């Protein structure tokens, strides 16, 4: 393999500009008894990374027909074909940030390695001292034949009858059916330091369905200034039914994809699974009373039942009330002319949640599983014997988790609608939070832990929206909308005697997440770096710390040293760095997010921009482990920060010394070196549109023709050093961890809307 | 149209009736009873086949949970690496949570420590579940019931033995104490009173005794524990406590009468070099083993704990078993220990580390530079245990040194060999994993040579030194058999064994090994000889650290080991030190203390 002296830009090598193609055609029409709406859509979008594609075709049909003046029937149906290939990240891509993926490989790959060797094959890290990322171009290209699609149809049919003058009953039945299929080729590699030596092929397919049946009756009546609405209903539904099968096998005789089927592979493994889903049954009622459009009262109560809970706690009753007062209609406000409309409102309510409970939470179960419980008891090196293990500890006493919300706020409109203000102060206390507290290992760690109603979380915040609009000149209209939300998240209790729990998730041995009462969920936890050891005296004077050696502790075989490594803060001041010195390093929940949306209309032109910002948020930039520390895998560390490493000549107090040592004082601990501010602002949208004048349109029998140019994610302002500060996560328990967060992409769109 | 309207008018009440009916059905509680699918309920499992299956599930944890690297019985990390047989291998950053373990800097938050604890207690929990289920069963023959109970208690004894030797003070949980039955109430049970304030040795003895008294001599399957496996393990438990009298009685019985579960009289398998081959699983030497298989298409049934302990950077399947990942590299000290005197005896005084005695290594020599391997007298077990430059690596290529080692500067020149996959057995491995190293050979938790050497220990302490010598000589005589000698490759054709002009095979090194021919008269010397034999014979098999601790010589041997290795690979061990008062046992995982309470689980010093 010849070195690429010009340097390989691996990020360029795995990415390319990605065209997006989106078309939609819709029709609507009808007569005085019937209406319909039909639309057809297609979207074909490549990802910026090689061999990633998103294709969707959809059909939507809605219609309603008045059978009589008092009886209507209708339906909504949507059918979709969706194919997503080459997706990065689990959970539909949301898990990408916390995974070691091809983006991470791209910036771990040494630039001196070319993409291809001189014989046309792939080049990679097989030569020693080049770390162990896999050639990401090869990885992408080897997966180019992987394919998958889902076909789904969902919709509902309904009938509505005006039973009495003020009483309307409605019955609706809805459901969905989804089919899916996918296959993959896991090809062998040769160019990497750690290779895949077995060719394997797999296929998956299955279907899922759900249904919902809702019946409601609504009574509406006005007596003079009194306005009353009463609503009652019952609803039953099933969600989450599926059947799924998958198979894989190895080493087909030929690797030609025209030849490969599961039948033609060896060592085949077949798996299948099914679930009956979860059933819900709810009864609900609502009453609304309005006096003269000035005083408004609303009360709601519902009783929800879920099969996720055992027979004793199946049902929960959840009331809610709210009230509003249009103060601007009061006589004493009549003199205040700049107030066009002002409404003060407040509310309190409870909502049940059962979504974070496994459907089998109530059952104690056993399972057989090749990986968990099979054993070759015969000692014949053949297929192992089937065994069983406890797969779930049941909790039949779990009950609904309750979110209690209270809010107070106002909606105001001033100066004849030139200025709107919306303000909300809110709090949401989640009680009896269903949490799967880890069972102590002495009881057996493998059985799934049941959700228990033990924790509680408080979210509270302020939401603010300011809109100002008007005409700067007769032909120039403007609207500026500023939104801002302050959010505070805090764990208020976990379980009796359990002050905190560490996330079981580790990243290359680093465990950065702790959940503790009094802190935000998924907070970052570890050692606080107080700088780098500048010299031996610095080490000798500091607290005792593993990974560096004081002069007084030095022996012939282990000399004093450790200059240039992390110096951790001795939080408890006991003169030694121990796990007790770990502390909170930041949290991934933004304190503030806001946006500015500006719309300008000049004659037939429209200009619209949207700028958004997230502040008070931290990111645990785990990718630094790969890019900043030479021994992470010998030859790792190709980041820019490495150039600022401590050296004996130049000193340095941020990036540790570049050396082949991996210990407590270098790269093995969660510490504040990895934590960065995730604050950013981004111009998310900039769009210029032109509407053809009506005069021209009418000549061609058209209602509307709109042409637009759009740019998305034009720029981002941030100090974050990773690829992109928009680091999400696929679960509340691992937010803001950046291992290989795919960047948002800048997009340019041209669009045309035509209406007849 | 009018007709249609009329029909619909009539149909409307019907629609309402239908919806109300469904509503009523939905009100019934059955609608909200959705049974579990794809798993078994307790009523299905409380049957004879159900409890037999749970027993299989208990055996399945012998190698830890699923694919965990360090939760099982192999103990390469906990026994061999900490004991100085080998270092972590590979490079400094790879799997860096192991680094503090070999440097004795481990803290209670280390994830590997929690894995060992959790995986082992999973074994305890499954054994307890077998016993609990058995107690719910009626109408099964006593013989069956006793056999199942005895196997479960044997396994529980094994898991507690693992816990005792790694963690010392551990909570005793059994089938009566804290099993979550049909309901769980964590606040009162799981966090309950399972303290680690009592030594569990007596309980371990009870389990093995019960197993010894109730297990049959032979079993329906080779992988099951039998009476003699229980006897050997009971003897080992006595030995660990210094109960030499009881241990000797037990070992004498096992040596005289023991048979394997498949009915072979215990003995030393004649070919040390082939002892660890897949084909020789469950030989006469196998007292109790984790049964690995490559036939599951699921790597957790293979010898997965050692799957990454293979040469690095090779043509996998052609030159060597795997090209990944270079863990578990034998230490300089371990390799050098195989130096023998002209009489073929080991250098018990430690002089194997000095001067001309020291084994010649290719440390710092690139693969394309010339290197001649050591020409001095060596115990042939060296080249059946450790891969080194210039010698055939099993039936693969000749070991090229540097290029098969991931970071020689960090971890030294050696490659682990004992459990490596052979070329002739390449097809037996489990090929479904990401790396080719998932081998099908068993790991023997106790083998007969181990029993003989433990018996020799008891003889040294309370019996006859001559009997001890006899046992040690049995082990050495087997090692001295010509089968142990690695044959050099033909210089003209590296794929063939080398024969001299007379047609005799040419050994790959100067193998000189003999038995102790002079009577043993000094107890201390005999003790040294037995202990050193144990080191040589059982190298890389996960025993060494625990042996050092129970002998009480860890406080001298380990610092000396660290100093010697630091002189060879300074970046690896520089600054590491061993403090017997805190490093003899692993810290109890902080995570478990957090979950159970520091008043229940008390940390080791």
């Amino acid at each position: 393999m010849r070195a690429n002296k010009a340097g390989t830009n691996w990020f360029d090598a795995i990415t390319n500009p990605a065209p997006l193609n989106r078309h939609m055609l819709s029709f609507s029409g009808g007569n005085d008894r019937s209406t319909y709406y039909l639309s057809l859509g297609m979207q074909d979008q490549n990802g910026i990374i090689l061999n990633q594609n998103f294709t969707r075709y959809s059909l939507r049909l809605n219609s309603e027909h008045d059978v009589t003046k008092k009886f209507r029937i209708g339906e909504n149906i949507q059918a979709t074909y969706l194919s997503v290939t080459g997706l990065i990240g689990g959970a539909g891509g949301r898990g990408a940030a916390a995974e070691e993926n091809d983006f991470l490989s791209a910036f771990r790959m040494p630039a001196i390695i070319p993409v291809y060797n001189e014989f046309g094959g792939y080049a990679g890290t097989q030569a020693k001292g080049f770390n162990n990322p896999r050639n990401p171009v090869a990885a992408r290209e080897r997966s180019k034949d992987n394919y998958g699609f889902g076909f789904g149809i969902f919709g509902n049919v309904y009938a509505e009858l005006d039973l009495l003058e003020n009483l309307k009953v409605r019955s609706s039945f809805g459901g969905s059916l989804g089919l899916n299929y996918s296959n993959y080729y896991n090809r062998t590699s040769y160019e990497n330091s750690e290779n895949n030596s077995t060719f394997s092929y797999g296929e998956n397919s299955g279907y899922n369905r759900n249904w919902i049946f809702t019946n409601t009756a609504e009574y509406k009546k006005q007596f003079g200034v009194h306005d009353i609405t009463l609503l009652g209903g019952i609803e039953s539904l099933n969600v989450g039914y599926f059947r799924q099968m998958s198979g894989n096998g190895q080493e087909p005789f030929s690797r030609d994809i025209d030849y490969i089927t599961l039948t033609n592979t060896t060592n085949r493994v077949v798996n299948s699974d099914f679930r009956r889903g979860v059933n819900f049954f709810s009864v609900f009622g609502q009453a609304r009373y309005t006096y003269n459009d000035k005083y408004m009262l609303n009360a709601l109560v519902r009783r929800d039942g879920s099969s996720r809970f055992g027979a004793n706690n199946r049902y929960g009753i959840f009331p809610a009330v709210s009230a509003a007062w249009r103060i601007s209609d009061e006589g004493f406000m009549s003199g205040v002319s700049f107030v066009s409309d002002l409404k003060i409102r407040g509310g309190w309510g409870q909502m049940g949640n059962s979504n974070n409970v496994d459907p089998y939470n109530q059952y104690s179960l056993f399972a057989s599983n090749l990986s968990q419980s099979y054993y070759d008891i015969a000692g014949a090196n053949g297929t192992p014997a089937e065994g069983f293990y406890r797969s779930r500890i049941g909790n039949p006493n779990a009950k609904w988790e309750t979110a209690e919300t209270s809010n107070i706020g106002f909606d105001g409109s001033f100066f004849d609608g030139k200025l709107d203000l919306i303000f909300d102060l809110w709090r949401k206390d989640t009680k009896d939070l269903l949490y799967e507290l880890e069972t102590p290992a002495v009881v057996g760690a493998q059985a799934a832990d049941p959700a228990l109603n033990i924790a509680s979380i408080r979210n509270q915040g302020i939401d603010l929206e300011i809109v100002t609009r008007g005409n700067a000149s007769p032909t120039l209209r403007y609207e500026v909308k500023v939104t801002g939300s302050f959010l505070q998240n805090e764990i208020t209790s976990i379980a009796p005697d359990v002050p905190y729990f560490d996330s079981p998730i580790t990243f290359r041995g680093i465990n950065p997440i702790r959940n503790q009462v009094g802190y935000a969920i998924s907070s970052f936890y570890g050692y606080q770096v107080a700088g780098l050891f500048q010299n031996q005296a610095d080490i000798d004077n500091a607290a005792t710390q593993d990974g560096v050696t004081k002069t007084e502790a030095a022996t012939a075989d282990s000399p004093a040293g450790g200059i240039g490594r992390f110096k951790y803060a001795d939080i408890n001041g006991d003169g030694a760095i121990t796990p007790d010195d770990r502390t909170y390093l930041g949290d991934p929940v933004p304190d503030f997010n806001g946006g500015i949306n500006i719309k300008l209309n000049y004659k037939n032109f429209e200009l619209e921009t949207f700028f958004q910002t997230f502040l008070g948020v931290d990111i645990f930039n785990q990718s630094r482990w790969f890019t900043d520390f030479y021994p992470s895998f010998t030859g790792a560390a190709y980041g820019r920060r490495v150039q600022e490493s401590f050296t004996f000549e130049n000193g340095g107090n941020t990036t540790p010394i570049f050396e082949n040592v991996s210990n407590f004082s270098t790269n093995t601990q969660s510490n504040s070196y990895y934590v960065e501010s995730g604050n950013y602002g981004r111009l998310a949208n900039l769009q210029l549109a032109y509407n053809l004048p009506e005069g021209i349109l009418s000549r061609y029998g058209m209602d509307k023709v709109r042409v637009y140019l759009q740019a998305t994610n034009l720029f981002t302002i941030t100090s974050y050093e990773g690829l992109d500060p928009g680091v999400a996560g696929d679960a509340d328990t691992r937010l803001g961890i950046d291992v290989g967060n795919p960047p948002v992409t800048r997009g340019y769109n041209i669009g045309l809307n035509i209406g007849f | 149209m009018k007709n249609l309207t009329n029909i619909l008018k009539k149909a409307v009440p019907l629609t309402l009736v239908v919806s109300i009916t469904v509503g009523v059905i939905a009100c019934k509680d059955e609608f909200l009873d959705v049974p579990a699918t794809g798993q078994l309920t307790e009523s299905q499992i409380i049957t004879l086949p159900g409890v037999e299956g749970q027993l299989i599930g208990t055996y399945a944890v012998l190698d830890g949970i699923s694919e965990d690297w360090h939760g099982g019985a192999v103990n390469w990390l906990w026994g061999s690496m900490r004991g100085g047989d080998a270092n972590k291998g590979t490079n400094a950053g790879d799997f860096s949570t192991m680094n503090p373990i070999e440097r004795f800097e481990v803290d209670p938050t280390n994830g590997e420590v929690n894995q060992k604890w959790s995986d082992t207690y999973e074994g305890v929990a499954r054994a307890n579940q077998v016993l609990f289920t058995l107690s719910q069963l009626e109408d099964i023959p006593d013989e069956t019931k006793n056999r199942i109970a005895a196997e479960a208690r044997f396994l529980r004894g094994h898991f507690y033995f693992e816990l005792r030797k790694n963690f010392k003070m551990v909570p005793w949980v059994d089938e009566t104490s804290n099993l979550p039955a049909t309901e769980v109430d964590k606040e009162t049970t799981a966090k309950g009173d399972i303290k680690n304030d009592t030594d569990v040795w007596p309980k371990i003895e009870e389990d093995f005794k019960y197993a010894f008294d109730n297990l049959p001599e032979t079993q329906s399957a080779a992988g099951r524990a039998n009476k003699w496996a229980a006897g050997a393990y009971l003897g080992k438990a006595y030995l660990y406590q210094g109960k030499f009298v009881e241990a000797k009685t037990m070992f004498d019985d096992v040596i005289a009468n023991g048979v394997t579960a498949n009915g072979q009289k215990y003995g030393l398998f004649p070919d040390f070099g082939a002892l660890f081959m897949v084909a020789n699983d469950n030989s006469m030497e196998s007292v109790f083993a984790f049964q690995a298989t490559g036939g599951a298409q699921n790597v957790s049934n293979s010898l997965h704990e050692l799957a990454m302990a293979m040469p690095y950077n090779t043509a996998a399947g052609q030159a060597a078993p795997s090209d990944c990942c270079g863990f578990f590299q034998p230490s300089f000290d371990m390799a050098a220990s195989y130096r023998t005197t002209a009489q073929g005896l080991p250098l018990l005084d430690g002089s194997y580390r000095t001067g001309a005695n020291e084994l010649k290594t290719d440390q710092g020599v690139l693969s394309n530079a010339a290197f001649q391997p050591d020409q001095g007298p060596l115990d042939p077990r060296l080249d059946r245990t450790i891969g080194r430059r210039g010698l055939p690596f099993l039936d693969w290529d000749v070991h090229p040194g540097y290029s098969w080692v991931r970071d020689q500067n960090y971890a030294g020149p050696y490659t682990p060999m004992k459990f490596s996959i052979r070329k002739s057995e390449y097809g037996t491995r489990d090929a479904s994993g990401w790396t080719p190293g998932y081998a099908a050979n068993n790991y023997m938790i106790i083998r007969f040579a181990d029993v003989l050497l433990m018996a020799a220990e008891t003889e040294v302490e309370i019996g006859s030194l001559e009997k001890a010598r006899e046992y040690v000589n049995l082990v050495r005589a087997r090692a001295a058999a010509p089968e142990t000698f690695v044959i050099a490759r033909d210089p003209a054709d590296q794929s063939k064994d080398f024969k001299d002009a007379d047609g005799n095979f040419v050994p790959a090194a100067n193998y000189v090994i003999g038995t102790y021919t002079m009577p043993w008269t000094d107890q201390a010397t005999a003790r040294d000889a037995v202990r050193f034999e144990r080191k040589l014979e059982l190298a890389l098999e996960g025993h060494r650290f625990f042996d050092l601790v129970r002998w009480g010589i860890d406080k001298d041997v380990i610092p000396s080991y660290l100093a010697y290795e630091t002189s060879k690979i300074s970046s690896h061990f520089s600054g590491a030190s061993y403090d017997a008062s805190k490093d003899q046992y692993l810290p109890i995982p902080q995570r478990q203390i957090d979950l159970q309470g520091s008043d229940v689980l008390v940390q080791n010093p």
Side-chain angles (χ1 to χ4, degrees), chain A residues 363-377:
Chain A
Y363 302 118
S364 286
L365 299 171
F366 291 80
S368 81
N369 179 295
L370 254 184
S371 158
Q372 287 281 3
S373 62
Y374 277 54
Y375 186 69
D376 185 23
I377 193 76

Side-chain angles (χ1 to χ4, degrees), chain A residues 402-406 426-433 455-461 486-494 516-521 589:
Chain A
T402 305
E404 191 173 293
T405 315
S406 45
W426 61 273
R427 169 179 286 177
K428 180 173 159 190
D429 279 316
T430 306
K431 297 174 185 172
D432 298 328
L433 186 121
S456 59
I457 283 184
R458 167 169 290 179
N459 284 284
Q460 55 191 4
F486 297 87
L487 172 67
Q488 192 209 350
N489 169 282
E490 183 188 324
I491 297 172
T492 43
S493 73
I494 295 176
Q516 179 161 354
V517 172
Y519 293 89
I521 57 166
V589 182

Side-chain angles (χ1 to χ4, degrees), chain B residues 66-355:
Chain B
S66 287
E67 295 164 44
D68 280 358
W69 292 112
H70 311 120
V74 172
N75 279 319
W76 77 258
L77 194 63
W78 313 113
S80 288
M81 187 177 85
R82 286 194 299 167
D85 287 358
N87 63 53
K88 184 192 81 174
T90 177
N91 58 35
D94 198 357
F95 222 139
S96 57
T97 47
M98 294 187 209
N99 299 8
I101 297 166
E102 64 175 339
R103 293 173 56 88
F104 300 98
E105 291 166 355
V106 67
D107 75 51
T109 64
N110 185 286
E112 311 312 315
V113 175
N114 190 44
Q115 183 180 93
K116 179 68 182 173
W117 173 281
S118 300
D119 287 21
T120 314
Y121 264 113
E122 176 70 14
V124 170
R126 291 191 189 185
N128 286 340
Q129 186 66 42
V130 170
L131 294 166
F132 177 78
T133 308
L134 208 56
S135 72
Q136 308 289 301
L137 274 176
E138 288 159 15
D139 301 332
I140 55 169
D142 278 351
E143 193 187 342
T144 308
K145 201 165 187 167
N146 291 345
R147 195 254 312 153
I148 293 173
E151 281 185 60
R153 291 188 69 172
F154 173 89
L155 291 169
R156 186 170 70 187
H158 160 77
F159 292 121
Y160 272 113
F161 202 116
E162 286 291 302
L163 289 164
R164 178 61 180 77
K165 71 186 183 189
N166 276 293
F167 294 97
K168 192 174 186 183
M169 296 303 274
V170 297
W172 176 265
V173 186
D174 64 23
E175 74 277 17
T176 61
S177 54
N178 259 297
L179 265 189
T182 52
E183 288 188 16
V184 68
D185 183 349
K186 303 233 170 155
E187 291 166 35
T188 57
T189 59
K191 276 177 60 64
D193 50 359
I194 325 168
K195 293 190 178 181
N196 64 333
D197 56 358
T198 315
D199 198 322
V200 296
W201 277 129
K203 300 281 195 182
I204 293 172
E205 281 180 22
E206 269 177 46
D207 272 352
F208 284 135
K209 253 185 234 155
Y210 181 89
F212 182 69
D213 292 341
N214 287 281
L215 280 172
E217 290 201 277
T218 59
Q219 286 273 31
S220 60
R224 290 189 189 272
N226 69 346
K227 178 184 184 67
W228 298 109
Y233 228 143
L234 180 57
K236 186 173 173 180
Y238 288 138
L239 186 65
Y240 264 64
Q241 299 172 75
K243 296 180 175 177
F244 298 112
V245 178
E246 294 92 331
K248 178 171 152 41
T249 313
M250 213 62 238
F251 289 135
D252 286 350
D253 196 1
V254 171
I255 291 168
N257 304 309
V259 296
T260 63
N262 54 15
Q264 305 171 72
K265 175 104 184 69
Y266 282 154
L268 293 172
F269 186 74
D271 182 351
F272 181 82
L275 176 58
F276 301 95
M277 287 178 70
V278 178
N280 298 320
D281 282 353
N282 299 309
S283 70
M284 62 172 78
E285 188 158 349
S286 182
V287 175
F288 185 63
F290 162 66
Q291 303 288 331
T293 176
Q297 296 313 310
N298 185 298
V299 295
S300 58
N301 292 285
S302 70
L303 189 58
H304 60 91
E305 289 188 87
L306 290 169
M308 298 198 292
M310 299 276 165
Y312 173 74
N313 205 45
T314 66
Q318 293 152 43
S322 172
D323 56 6
C324 190
C325 306
F327 283 90
F328 197 26
Q329 286 184 244
S331 65
F332 286 88
D333 176 79
M334 189 68 243
S337 300
Y338 287 99
R339 173 70 71 211
T340 57
T341 63
Q343 292 72 42
L345 293 175
L347 306 176
L348 303 180
D349 58 358
S351 61
Y352 63 83
R353 284 185 186 166
T354 50

Side-chain angles (χ1 to χ4, degrees), chain B residues 447-460:
Chain B
R447 62 184 171 98
F448 192 59
D450 182 6
V451 174
L452 288 175
L453 292 171
M454 288 193 289
E457 275 186 51
T458 63
E459 295 294 347
V460 166

